[in-house]
Structure formats: structure tokens, C-alpha cells
Amino acid sequence: MSKLQSYFDYYEKHYNPKSSPWYKSSNETFAIMRAIQERLPSIDVFNETEDKKDLLEKSFQKSNQNEIDSIQTFLQRFVFDQKNGVGNVSQGVVWASEPNPHKEQILNNATPELIYQVLSSRSKEEVLLKTNELLRSGRGYHAVQNRLMRILFPNEFAAADATNKFDRLVNILNNKLGVEINGSSLLEKHTDLCRRIDTEDAVLRQMFTWDLFYMLENEFTLKKAVCYYGAPGTGKTYRTSKEAEKLIDAQRILIGKDIESEYSIKTVQFHPSYSYEDFMEGIRPTQEGGLQLYNGSFKQFCKENGKKEINLYTQTDFLNNPNFKDVNYDLSRIKISQLDIKEKEALALKD
């Protein structure tokens, strides 16, 4: 099994994505689009006597109980709304203020023939060209276009709508997992990434491609610290421990280790009377009336987990490595080339 698939399987099992409002709203949005496409009338786009706008809008009404009853409400639902059910686009052709000349331009572009071709074609390449015609408004629209393509082709597009966001995902997959996403175009790269994730659930795949970036480049590497705030008893401590477990598990998947049930996690509650001595080390009185140096919670945590490292070295015969003796068993000073095969395996190092 590939590491990418291992991340997906872990995500499906431990992130509980199907309980997310995003999962529900995406399924609803995909269902609306499928209903529209299934009831599309047969329209001859070259027949000038046929009322194509009337035929198209009747198809909308039959599919959605009048939620979408015109080309304008179709565009509002799938293009203009900042949150359209599958994604939130804050830039591009979506403006919160009115009047919006870019919206007017898109409405002018949206002939019945063009909308019909967007909805009826099963060729991603053709639909991409037609959405280019539709969204042409003198303003960047790539994120909005990708969001619409995700609804039209849910199995073949990742959820990173903005081009730079998708590029960052592709780069981190290559750098962290050694997974090279192939394709000469953005369209081909989206398709190649999606085909590598084995699932029949298109919504789950899309959600995973969004969260995958943060699984590989987690919040601590991005921000160095994460703050949860809220009233007492709202689950902050519980969530913190679960997030810590996910970070540890993500690293285990990355280095090819099995997911385990044991974690080295320490919770410390800082309050006004909590001092440096409580955290690191300090001198405290003994019952005999003397003074004694005590380990703080952080130092004790490090010492306990340091024992595991010592056991690791011992079990893999590190201590008998002459190169290790030369640097006084200081792992930071030994070269990778001076380790044997078993030692490299223990440290999850590659040749």
C-alpha cells in the first residue's frame, strides 16, 4: 500500500470526516448537479427556432423543486455564492459588494447554448474551455472555475481550488512522500492525484485532498504554536490530546511505522502559581528538613522518554558501534555514513 493511501485510510478512520457539515453539503450539491444533468433536454444548439433558454430552465425546475429556476439562479448557486456547498472562495469573481460588474459580464456570457454545453459535455477538456468562456470577466477566476469543475467531475478534481494551494500540495507530496504527481497541465495533475486515492466516495476524496496538506505540513511546523480558546468544559484539553495523537500518527505513517496505541504526551496546566521550577527543575524541602533537587514536569518527561531512546540504541547495538564511541555516544555528531543498515532502519533513515 502506498503512503498516500495509508494517509487516506487513517484520515477516514480517525478524522471522522463523514460527520462534517462539509461532507453533507457537498453530497447535497453533487446531487443537485446530477439531477440537472440527468434531466437535460435534447437541445440542438444550432437550431435558431428552438427556445433553448426555456428548455434549459424547465430542466432546472424539474430537477430542484424551483431552487434553481433560471440561468441566473443556476450561476448564483454554483458560481457566485461565496460558499456554494463544496468550497469557500473569497476571491476571484466572487464579490460581497454590489454592484459587481464582473457578475454582469458573466451573466452576459451565459447564453443558454454555453450553459447547456457546460452541463452536457463529458469531456473535461471541452468543459474547461467552455467555463473559460463563461467566466471571462477581466478578473482572475481560477479558484471559482476549479470549484465548478469539482461539482461537474467530482471524481477527478481535488479540493484545493486555488492554483497556488494545489501547487503547494503537489510539492509537499513530492518532498515528504516522494509521490510525483504527473501531468503537463493542472487538469492532468488533478486527475492523476485523484486516481491514486482508492475510494468510491468522491466527497471523501475531495475533503482528504484539502486536509492532506495539513497532515503533512502540520500546524506546528507552520505556526510553531496552536491556541484553542473557549469556556471551561468545552473540550479544549481533550481536543489537544487528540490532535497531538494525529501528529504522532502522521509522522509514523511518513516513516513507514505501524499506527500504535501508545503515545508520549504530557499535559501541563499553567496557572499563576506554576513556576519555572515546576516546569524544569527546582529545589524543594524534604520531609527530613533538608533540601533536594526535583525534576520539573518537562524535565521528567524528557528523562522518561530518553530511556526509550537508550533502549533503542541498545537493542540495535548502537553502543558497540566504534564511531559512536568516538563521539561519546552523541547522536548529533555521528555521520549517517557511519551507521550500519540496522541502525539506519531504527532511525528511519534512507541510504
Side-chain angles (χ1 to χ4, degrees):
M1 180 186 296
S2 69
K3 287 185 179 180
L4 180 59
Q5 188 64 37
S6 295
Y7 273 102
F8 174 80
D9 294 342
Y10 181 83
Y11 174 78
E12 184 177 17
K13 182 176 180 181
H14 295 277
Y15 276 66
N16 199 22
K18 291 185 179 180
S19 66
S20 166
W22 185 16
Y23 184 82
K24 180 181 178 181
S25 65
S26 292
N27 272 308
E28 291 173 349
T29 304
F30 290 159
I32 292 172
M33 181 62 79
R34 282 196 303 271
I36 290 173
Q37 290 174 315
E38 288 170 359
R39 292 170 173 80
L40 278 178
S42 177
I43 295 178
D44 182 357
V45 294
F46 301 104
N47 186 342
E48 296 181 0
T49 63
E50 198 172 52
D51 191 341
K52 292 174 280 292
K53 183 173 185 292
D54 182 61
L55 287 172
L56 188 61
E57 293 184 345
K58 282 182 179 178
S59 173
F60 292 160
Q61 294 171 19
K62 290 179 181 178
S63 304
N64 303 286
Q65 293 82 45
N66 294 324
E67 178 189 349
I68 299 171
D69 57 7
S70 66
I71 291 177
Q72 183 167 349
T73 56
F74 172 84
L75 292 173
Q76 187 65 45
R77 176 68 174 80
F78 292 107
V79 176
F80 296 140
D81 280 351
Q82 193 165 6
K83 295 181 180 180
N84 74 348
V86 302
N88 182 3
V89 178
S90 58
Q91 295 180 345
V93 299
V94 181
W95 280 18
S97 60
E98 293 292 347
N100 184 343
H102 302 288
K103 286 185 179 180
E104 281 299 317
Q105 181 61 55
I106 292 169
L107 288 169
N108 291 335
N109 297 339
T111 63
E113 294 88 347
L114 181 57
I115 297 297
Y116 179 79
Q117 290 170 325
V118 167
L119 290 172
S120 61
S121 176
R122 292 292 85 205
S123 164
K124 298 190 298 295
E125 292 76 13
E126 181 181 359
V127 174
L128 195 66
L129 292 174
K130 295 303 178 182
T131 53
N132 278 335
E133 293 181 33
L134 173 66
L135 299 173
R136 186 178 65 250
S137 62
R139 186 173 172 84
Y141 55 79
H142 298 293
V144 175
Q145 183 182 40
N146 191 79
R147 188 177 63 166
L148 179 58
M149 294 292 287
R150 280 204 286 131
I151 302 172
L152 293 166
F153 301 95
N155 279 301
E156 298 177 75
F157 278 85
D161 292 322
T163 304
N164 62 339
K165 175 77 174 183
F166 183 75
D167 288 340
R168 289 169 66 194
L169 175 59
V170 169
N171 289 335
I172 199 170
L173 281 172
N174 190 12
N175 295 334
K176 286 287 184 75
L177 300 186
V179 175
E180 185 175 355
I181 304 303
N182 301 311
S184 58
S185 66
L186 197 63
L187 186 83
E188 292 175 352
K189 289 180 179 180
H190 272 277
T191 302
D192 186 53
L193 172 58
C194 289
R195 73 171 180 82
R196 293 168 184 261
I197 303 166
D198 185 17
T199 179
E200 295 181 358
D201 192 328
V203 175
L204 203 58
R205 183 191 290 108
Q206 288 194 4
M207 292 173 62
F208 169 68
T209 57
W210 176 265
D211 287 323
L212 177 60
F213 178 85
Y214 299 100
M215 294 175 74
L216 294 172
E217 195 72 81
N218 62 66
E219 290 181 307
F220 287 105
T221 60
L222 291 171
K223 305 175 184 177
K224 309 304 179 188
V226 178
C227 291
Y228 297 121
Y229 57 90
T234 54
K236 298 186 298 298
T237 302
Y238 176 79
R239 179 178 177 183
T240 300
S241 65
K242 290 301 179 183
E243 290 298 317
E245 290 177 6
K246 289 177 181 178
L247 293 174
I248 294 171
D249 286 339
Q251 181 65 21
R252 287 169 172 167
I253 297 173
L254 184 63
I255 63 175
K257 298 292 185 181
D258 293 333
I259 302 300
E260 303 171 7
S261 58
E262 294 184 4
Y263 304 90
S264 293
I265 299 171
K266 177 72 175 178
T267 300
V268 178
Q269 184 176 10
F270 293 99
H271 49 77
S273 62
Y274 194 86
S275 65
Y276 173 87
E277 290 77 10
D278 295 317
F279 189 65
M280 295 301 293
E281 67 176 4
I283 297 174
R284 295 178 181 175
T286 65
Q287 292 182 347
E288 293 76 21
L291 295 174
Q292 183 175 339
L293 185 66
Y294 282 86
N295 294 329
S297 56
F298 178 68
K299 183 180 177 183
Q300 186 62 33
F301 178 81
C302 293
K303 286 176 68 68
E304 291 172 358
N305 285 277
K307 294 177 183 177
K308 298 179 182 179
E309 290 192 44
I310 293 173
N311 290 334
L312 174 67
Y313 302 152
T314 305
Q315 292 166 5
T316 54
D317 213 22
F318 273 86
L319 299 183
N320 292 327
N321 186 324
N323 297 307
F324 236 161
K325 294 178 181 179
D326 290 342
V327 295
N328 196 26
Y329 306 109
D330 183 355
L331 186 62
S332 65
R333 293 169 59 197
I334 193 171
K335 297 179 180 179
I336 294 177
S337 60
Q338 295 172 325
L339 300 175
D340 63 29
I341 294 176
K342 291 185 178 180
E343 291 165 351
K344 290 178 182 178
E345 290 178 352
L347 296 172
L349 297 174
K350 298 180 180 179
D351 291 330

